Amino acid sequence: MKSIVVTSGKGGVGKTTVTACLGRALALLGNRVALIDADFGLNNLDVVLEKENCVVYDIADVIENRCRVRQALIQCSERNLYLLPSAHGYLGERVSAQNIRLILNSLAVTFDYVLVDCPAGIEAGFTRAVGACERALIVTTPHVSALRDANKVITLLKSYKMTTSVVVNRVRGDLLASGRIPDKAEIEGILKSEVDGMIPETDGVYGFVNIPQKPFDMLARRIHYGVGELHDPAACYRGLFGSIRRKLRKNY
């Protein structure tokens, strides 16, 4: 089993949505995938997955021995995708990295991947989630403040000696094509870390099932196989017709 913590330097970059969509993409590759919502303060992975009304037990029930891990798991729309929801109330210091590690150990027999949705920032919630996993995926947007915060997280993760890579979320293809935001190579230079995914901005798209899956399928292949192309959000904005699309979007 491979355990991956999905984290970010700041909130609002789409970390939880990336966790859900990547989990779905890995499941579609034939893997059994469990998603753990370890963001005890601002938990909403069940909402993103549209399973908030299916919660019977949560991670607090597991940690405090009121149920087994399997009893708390919720099957999602995809056959191989399951969710361990976060607690309804704030757990705070009652949760440790050891608690998360024990849950991961209990899932190791059944699942190929476990993705842990980590709180944004570098506080206690970050430490307990990161300390239990073997790989970290840092989600950022291509903006200066988000990249600066992502860089702080990557620097801190070096002390954990774990594999790290970056997903750049909410990339506007028109701005990328015109050079107004940094591209993959520039971001890798800034963060000194490999970019494994470029996820386009999806204006006007609401709901987990409506999010375009192709960029996450490409991300999942890179994570699962170790190779593969990245989605290019700027592809349709290059060339003659692409320049027309850029002008239309700017005017819109």
Side-chain angles (χ1 to χ4, degrees):
M1 182 198 75
K2 298 180 181 179
S3 56
I4 304 174
V5 59
V6 185
T7 184
S8 64
K10 63 182 295 183
V13 298
K15 169 182 58 63
T16 297
T17 301
V18 168
T19 303
C21 292
L22 174 58
R24 177 171 62 181
L26 287 168
L28 290 172
L29 284 177
N31 300 291
R32 288 181 61 83
V33 182
L35 308 179
I36 298 178
D37 192 345
D39 190 344
F40 303 114
L42 298 171
N43 52 299
N44 62 0
L45 188 54
D46 57 335
V47 176
V48 171
L49 290 164
E50 301 178 351
K51 291 294 178 180
E52 66 272 23
N53 295 322
C54 300
V55 178
V56 177
Y57 296 109
D58 57 37
I59 195 170
D61 296 309
V62 175
I63 291 171
E64 296 173 355
N65 296 314
R66 290 189 290 271
C67 73
R68 292 174 296 175
V69 177
R70 288 183 176 278
Q71 291 176 286
L73 290 175
I74 300 169
Q75 185 171 6
C76 300
S77 301
E78 287 67 28
R79 183 169 58 89
N80 293 327
L81 184 63
Y82 293 80
L83 167 68
L84 177 58
S86 187
H88 296 296
Y90 181 64
L91 289 177
E93 299 302 322
R94 290 184 288 164
V95 181
S96 66
Q98 180 64 16
N99 294 137
I100 304 297
R101 194 174 295 112
L102 288 172
I103 292 173
L104 291 177
N105 290 341
S106 69
L107 296 172
V109 177
T110 307
F111 290 93
D112 302 301
Y113 285 92
V114 176
L115 307 186
V116 180
D117 187 15
C118 173
I122 54 175
E123 304 302 327
F126 167 87
T127 302
R128 62 179 169 240
V130 168
C133 296
E134 61 188 13
R135 178 173 180 169
L137 201 61
I138 301 93
V139 180
T140 183
T141 60
H143 304 99
V144 174
S145 60
L147 291 171
R148 181 180 297 172
D149 289 338
N151 191 46
K152 293 176 184 176
V153 170
I154 292 169
T155 301
L156 182 58
L157 286 171
K158 290 179 181 178
S159 64
Y160 288 86
K161 298 180 180 179
M162 63 196 308
T163 303
T164 62
S165 59
V166 175
V167 174
V168 187
N169 194 30
R170 295 179 178 168
V171 180
R172 275 189 54 177
D174 58 326
L175 299 184
L176 182 60
S178 61
R180 294 168 62 188
I181 57 175
D183 61 16
K184 173 182 178 290
E186 291 172 312
I187 291 173
E188 288 180 333
I190 293 169
L191 299 180
K192 304 295 187 295
S193 187
E194 184 176 9
V195 171
D196 267 334
M198 297 282 282
I199 311 300
E201 179 69 80
T202 50
D203 295 337
V205 175
Y206 300 96
F208 171 62
V209 297
N210 295 320
I211 296 174
Q213 188 63 27
K214 182 179 177 181
F216 293 100
D217 290 340
M218 298 176 78
L219 170 61
R221 291 190 192 99
R222 285 180 63 88
I223 289 175
H224 185 61
Y225 298 113
V227 294
E229 296 182 359
L230 274 74
H231 179 72
D232 182 7
C236 66
Y237 291 101
R238 295 195 176 98
L240 176 61
F241 291 108
S243 65
I244 295 172
R245 290 191 187 97
R246 289 202 305 271
K247 290 178 181 179
L248 289 173
R249 176 153 187 176
K250 182 178 179 182
N251 293 334
Y252 179 78

